[in-house]
Amino acid sequence: QVQLVESGGGLVQPGGSLRLSCAASGSIFSRVAMGWYRQAPGKERELVAAIGSIRSGGSTNYADFVKGRFTISMDNAKNTVYLQMDSLKPEDTAVYYCNTYPTYVFPWGQGTLVTVSS
């Protein structure tokens, strides 16, 4: 079973940047699309960004609320998906997770907490 481990979260001021990493325990990106999701306290988990499998060309799509601020990418050699987050807002505060897209195939990792606050 593939395991996903998220890292890179932390406390950042509004307008700041963070880069999240999602390391997979196996070589999966050639055949599956991946997504970054987030869950804020008291809210449902929602999709933030997705990237297609390498076989499909690795196209990206973003939720409207992060377009122009976040960038998803992958490094197949490192079995890692990244989420570069710029111009962070307090409403971006959440636990961020990665998993396959559009359906969840692997067990959820522990996530990484992002807190945007002054």
Side-chain angles (χ1 to χ4, degrees):
Q1 182 70 283
V2 172
Q3 292 185 324
L4 302 169
V5 179
E6 302 92 348
S7 63
L11 173 64
V12 63
Q13 293 187 341
S17 298
L18 283 173
R19 188 176 82 153
L20 307 184
S21 299
C22 166
S25 60
S27 298
I28 60 174
F29 299 149
S30 63
R31 53 186 171 87
V32 298
M34 295 295 295
W36 277 100
Y37 305 82
R38 71 185 187 187
Q39 187 167 20
K43 294 189 176 181
E44 300 268 327
R45 189 171 294 170
E46 60 186 355
L47 176 71
V48 174
I51 185 165
S53 68
I54 292 175
R55 288 181 183 176
S56 71
S59 60
T60 59
N61 64 286
Y62 298 91
D64 286 344
F65 51 80
V66 302
K67 279 182 180 176
R69 301 189 297 124
F70 291 11
T71 304
I72 188 171
S73 62
M74 67 167 56
D75 185 332
N76 190 46
K78 296 182 178 180
N79 298 327
T80 301
V81 177
Y82 301 99
L83 185 68
Q84 177 66 41
M85 306 188 296
D86 299 315
S87 302
L88 282 161
K89 304 175 181 180
E91 52 263 44
D92 294 319
T93 295
V95 179
Y96 285 71
Y97 304 86
C98 63
N99 211 317
T100 51
Y101 170 82
T103 55
Y104 318 141
V105 172
F106 303 124
W108 291 99
Q110 82 288 349
T112 187
L113 175 63
V114 173
T115 303
V116 185
S117 176
S118 54

